[in-house]
Amino acid sequence: KYAQPERRPAVVAGASSGIGAATALSLAAAGHPVALGARRTDKCEELASQIRAGGGEAYVGALDVTDGDSVAAFADKVTAELGDVEVVISNAGSVNPGTIHEVETERFQREVDLAIGGAHRLVRAFVPGMVERRRGDIVFVSSDVAVRARPFMSSYAAGKWGLEGMVHALQMELEGTGVRASIVRPGPTWSEMGTDWDVDDAAFVLNQWVRFGHARHPHFLKPTAIADAITTVVSAPRGVHLNLIEVSPEAPL
Ligand code: NDP
């Protein structure tokens, strides 16, 4: 006797691990058919099997957000498999530590492009259709580093600051279209991020982070905490726009 939820196909870009994987599971649990995109499609397939085993609908596609052709091909396949996309989560990201004057310009540009260019390619692929249909949600996963830069993450900070600037402009452009663009800004979250750093780099960055006072509570959130915030944003009723949610670890009792 319960009302069936509306069918709102959702895309998670960067769904193979961490926050994106948790978000795909959370959106599926909320009734969304979910398209999981990443370079490591094997990892996405494992999640898709889990979603299907629970009675959900899932599609997996290869996706590299740094490549416009890959994003366009992914968008076409998702639409063919799941129908018009109503929810997009722009979550792909990575962070590589390095002292700014030692990071090669090409690497710096690549890392900034992943954050800003990747999000822009997703906007180009999905937002025009949403505007035409006068409904949709696009959520950008930013970082607390977007407003409190940390040393040795200059390209990451530049990317996330730039991303938030782009989203603020997008929010104004989308006013009155029925499409909501939102930012979810996680604090430190336990994921695969940083697990490929060498141990000295990781220890150094964490040390500096605490020393510079940016981590008052240097413990980590679970990816599900961010996934819950994202699902809340896209579940807001019409007439309500959750523009920005920052999620931080609570201070220990
Ligand atoms: P993970 O490393 O666990 O996940 C990163 C995801 O991004 C993976 O699914 C990866 O998939 C995907 N990805 C990376 N590059 C690309 C690409 N070129 N094209 C498509 N997908 C890509 O880290 P998190 O879950 O922590 O990170 C998710 C987001 O959260 C990022 O935007 C990050 O900046 C942000 N964030 C994380 C915080 C943290 O403390 N962990 C804090 C604040 C923000 P694959 O490699 O298979 O392509």
Side-chain angles (χ1 to χ4, degrees):
K1 296 283 190 301
Y2 295 105
Q4 286 299 306
E6 280 180 284
R7 191 175 179 282
R8 301 186 70 208
V11 160
V12 181
S16 56
S17 64
I19 292 168
T23 302
L25 295 176
S26 169
L27 290 173
H32 295 268
V34 183
L36 299 95
R39 294 165 304 176
R40 290 171 300 167
T41 47
D42 52 333
K43 292 227 168 199
C44 294
E45 287 292 358
E46 285 169 27
L47 285 160
S49 304
Q50 214 178 310
I51 291 169
R52 290 182 198 118
E57 205 180 333
Y59 166 76
V60 172
L63 174 67
D64 181 347
V65 297
T66 64
D67 174 354
D69 291 341
S70 167
V71 176
F74 174 78
D76 286 347
K77 282 188 208 139
V78 171
T79 306
E81 290 288 330
L82 299 182
D84 290 334
V85 171
E86 290 225 358
V87 173
V88 173
I89 314 302
S90 173
N91 166 73
S94 75
V95 55
N96 303 291
T99 309
I100 187 161
H101 58 267
E102 287 171 359
V103 175
E104 305 80 24
T105 304
E106 291 70 26
R107 181 186 133 185
F108 188 90
Q109 286 172 334
R110 252 197 335 271
E111 290 170 2
V112 170
D113 179 66
L114 173 59
I116 307 176
H120 183 245
R121 290 180 192 98
L122 291 168
V123 169
R124 296 262 300 150
F126 291 104
V127 170
M130 291 178 178
V131 169
E132 207 176 303
R133 294 186 295 275
R134 300 190 67 73
R135 54 189 288 151
D137 277 290
I138 182 159
V139 180
F140 299 87
V141 179
S142 178
S143 166
D144 59 340
V145 174
V147 289
R148 293 177 285 277
R150 267 170 232 145
F152 315 108
M153 293 188 185
S154 58
S155 58
Y156 186 69
K160 295 296 192 185
W161 281 53
L163 170 70
E164 292 209 7
M166 186 192 84
V167 178
H168 289 149
L170 178 67
Q171 286 175 328
M172 287 184 275
E173 291 178 22
L174 290 176
E175 273 175 20
T177 64
V179 182
R180 302 179 295 199
S182 307
I183 294 171
V184 169
R185 192 190 282 159
T189 307
W190 198 253
S191 69
E192 287 188 13
M193 185 163 275
T195 51
D196 56 343
W197 300 353
D198 72 43
V199 173
D200 288 346
D201 272 350
F204 183 68
V205 168
L206 279 175
N207 253 323
Q208 297 299 321
W209 183 5
V210 174
R211 192 180 130 222
F212 281 84
H214 295 303
R216 282 173 301 151
H217 322 302
H219 58 279
F220 286 78
L221 291 157
K222 292 194 177 101
T224 47
I226 316 304
D228 288 347
I230 292 171
T231 301
T232 301
V233 167
V234 305
S235 308
R238 265 244 129 118
V240 177
H241 184 180
L242 298 172
N243 298 281
L244 165 70
I245 297 192
E246 180 162 305
V247 188
S248 315
E250 185 188 2
L253 289 172

